[in-house]
């Protein structure tokens, strides 16, 4: 069995709420109302740029598919779009209160889900028109992701909603998957399956053609974040409230790696991500630590 080793670390000092990685950049959303942005490697020798002008703490961050834009949602109910090539804030999108809790990109649209189970898309043209997609009564959109064709939303009730072709057809498929809140959802690389994680301690692999569970991977602790290896989606990484990161072989259903990235047992792991070639695993903590690991 291979083991992980530390590739780089950085302590930023403020609580990290969210993490994303593109080909060129790594971004960490902070509760001090800024985004830390690194070009190339995250290391002690490479100080991050700070993206400012957000209020009340960062909730979620997502790079566009080409990596040239960064969308940032914050507790002030505004989504801000940063043009990274020009190093400027290019757009501000005002949302209804708590409607921008989670965000993702679908082609040239930014999608958001939050209070009231409401999913909306915003075009990136001059008008920034809001396009309502669906709303689930008495629900909270707790996780969101997209591929080139569909959007997936997980809710606080444990349900998974798949919106097929949200720009044109907006056909909705829904199913109760978990017993508690869905914390993270990711599509498989072929788009026919999805992985979900939950406060109930489980990761589920779902066949989206039948909206049927294929496998369950048991953490026994709340699973805060998952990510799918972009090169080999038989590998899924997760982090949970037991302070451990786990790497899963989804073919066998077995955990093939597990490690505790930080020493502090009162810390929390909020997000875990593969880099774009799948060679590194990045994990961030509530107490402001960011580490990358490679597999030997």
């Amino acid at each position: 069995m291979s083991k992980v080793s530390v590739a780089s670390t950085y302590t930023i000092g403020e609580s990290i709420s969210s993490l994303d990685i593109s080909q060129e950049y790594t971004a960490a959303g902070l509760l001090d109302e800024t985004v830390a942005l690194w070009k190339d490697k995250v290391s002690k020798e490479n100080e991050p740029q700070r993206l400012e002008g957000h209020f009340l703490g960062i909730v979620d961050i997502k790079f566009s598919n080409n990596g040239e834009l960064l969308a940032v949602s914050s507790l002030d109910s505004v989504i801000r779009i940063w043009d990274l090539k020009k190093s400027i804030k290019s757009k501000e999108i005002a949302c209804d209160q708590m409607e921008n809790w989670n965000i993702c990109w679908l082609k040239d649209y930014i999608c958001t889900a939050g209070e009231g189970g409401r999913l909306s898309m915003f075009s990136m043209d001059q008008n920034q028109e809001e396009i309502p997609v669906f709303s689930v009564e008495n629900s909270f959109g707790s996780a969101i992701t997209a591929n080139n064709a569909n959007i997936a939303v997980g809710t606080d009730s444990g349900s998974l909603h798949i919106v097929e072709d949200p720009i044109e057809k907006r056909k909705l498929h829904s199913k109760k998957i978990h017993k508690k809140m869905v914390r993270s959802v990711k599509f498989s690389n072929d788009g026919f399956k999805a992985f979900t994680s939950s406060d109930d301690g489980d990761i589920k692999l779902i066949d989206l053609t039948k909206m049927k569970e294929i496998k369950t991977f048991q953490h026994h602790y709340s699973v805060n974040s998952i990510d799918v290896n972009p090169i080999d989606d038989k590998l899924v990484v997760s982090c949970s409230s037991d302070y451990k990161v786990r790497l899963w072989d989804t073919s066998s259903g077995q955990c093939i790696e597990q490690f505790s990235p930080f020493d502090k047992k009162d810390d929390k792991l909020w997000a875990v991500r593969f880099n774009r070639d799948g060679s590194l695993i990045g994990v961030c903590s509530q107490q402001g630590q960011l580490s990358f690991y490679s597999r030997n």
Side-chain angles (χ1 to χ4, degrees), residues 250-268:
T250 61
S251 297
S252 66
Q254 299 299 309
C255 174
I256 57 175
E257 303 275 4
Q258 71 172 27
F259 59 96
S260 298
F262 309 118
D263 295 332
K264 298 178 181 179
K265 294 303 181 184
D266 59 343
D267 206 349
K268 292 182 179 179

Side-chain angles (χ1 to χ4, degrees), residues 46-96:
N46 184 20
E47 286 295 317
Q49 176 187 357
R50 291 295 189 109
L51 306 181
E52 300 178 338
H54 310 277
F55 300 96
L56 304 179
I58 306 303
V59 179
D60 199 10
I61 55 175
K62 290 294 188 313
F63 288 106
S64 60
N65 292 333
N66 63 10
E68 295 180 359
L69 301 175
L70 178 66
V72 182
S73 69
S74 58
L75 290 171
D76 62 359
S77 299
V78 175
I79 300 172
R80 294 172 175 86
I81 310 297
W82 291 85
D83 185 322
L84 301 179
K85 296 296 183 185
K86 298 178 180 177
S87 295
I88 60 170
K89 183 172 55 181
S90 61
K91 298 181 188 298
E92 288 193 350
I93 301 169
C95 301
D96 290 341

Side-chain angles (χ1 to χ4, degrees), residues 261-279:
F262 309 118
D263 295 332
K264 298 178 181 179
K265 294 303 181 184
D266 59 343
D267 206 349
K268 292 182 179 179
L269 308 182
W270 278 138
V272 64
R273 293 285 183 273
F274 284 105
N275 67 344
R276 290 299 173 101
D277 66 9
S279 63

Side-chain angles (χ1 to χ4, degrees), residues 9-25:
T9 63
Y10 192 92
T11 301
I12 203 159
E14 293 89 15
S15 182
I16 303 175
S17 63
S18 46
L19 175 69
D20 203 16
I21 305 170
S22 72
Q23 295 286 6
E24 275 191 271
Y25 298 96

Side-chain angles (χ1 to χ4, degrees), residues 97-296:
Q97 188 173 11
M98 299 295 287
E99 288 292 347
N100 65 322
W101 194 254
N102 292 281
I103 55 176
C104 68
W105 290 89
L106 176 72
K107 299 180 180 177
D108 293 327
Y109 294 85
I110 188 70
C111 311
T112 179
E115 195 75 35
R118 178 174 159 192
L119 170 64
S120 296
M121 301 193 308
F122 293 88
S123 61
M124 289 294 101
D125 60 20
Q126 207 74 10
N127 297 325
Q128 298 172 18
E129 177 188 4
E130 180 178 3
I131 304 169
V133 180
F134 80 89
S135 183
V136 181
E137 190 175 354
N138 299 321
S139 188
F140 183 90
S142 54
I144 185 171
T145 195
N147 56 19
N148 288 327
N150 306 320
I151 301 174
V153 178
T155 68
D156 59 350
S157 65
S159 295
L160 175 66
H161 305 279
I162 304 296
V163 185
E164 183 183 345
D165 189 7
I167 298 174
E168 299 292 338
K169 293 194 298 186
R170 299 181 199 168
K171 187 174 181 181
L172 181 64
H173 309 273
S174 302
K175 187 169 183 179
K176 173 84 169 178
I177 299 294
H178 290 278
K179 298 175 183 176
K180 295 183 179 180
M181 177 185 285
V182 176
R183 288 286 181 182
S184 190
V185 56
K186 296 288 180 180
F187 284 106
S188 62
N189 295 341
D190 63 12
F192 294 116
K193 299 180 287 295
F195 297 88
T196 60
S197 73
S198 168
D199 280 351
D200 64 12
D202 288 342
I203 299 170
K204 303 278 190 179
L205 173 58
I206 309 299
D207 180 344
L208 298 180
T209 63
K210 303 175 182 177
M211 289 301 285
K212 183 178 180 181
E213 178 185 326
I214 302 172
K215 287 181 181 177
T216 297
F217 311 93
Q218 292 185 323
H219 253 276
H220 304 295
Y221 296 88
S222 174
V223 188
N224 295 327
S225 180
I226 56 174
D227 200 18
V228 177
N229 189 294
I231 305 302
D232 180 5
D233 62 6
K234 293 192 294 294
L235 296 176
V236 170
V237 67
S238 63
C239 67
S240 67
S241 59
D242 65 348
Y243 318 109
K244 285 186 171 58
V245 174
R246 290 175 172 85
L247 186 65
W248 302 87
D249 180 336
T250 61
S251 297
S252 66
Q254 299 299 309
C255 174
I256 57 175
E257 303 275 4
Q258 71 172 27
F259 59 96
S260 298
F262 309 118
D263 295 332
K264 298 178 181 179
K265 294 303 181 184
D266 59 343
D267 206 349
K268 292 182 179 179
L269 308 182
W270 278 138
V272 64
R273 293 285 183 273
F274 284 105
N275 67 344
R276 290 299 173 101
D277 66 9
S279 63
L280 294 176
I281 296 169
V283 58
C284 66
S285 81
Q286 185 180 35
Q287 294 189 14
Q289 297 186 80
L290 177 60
S291 290
F292 285 85
Y293 295 83
S294 60
R295 299 184 70 212
N296 298 327

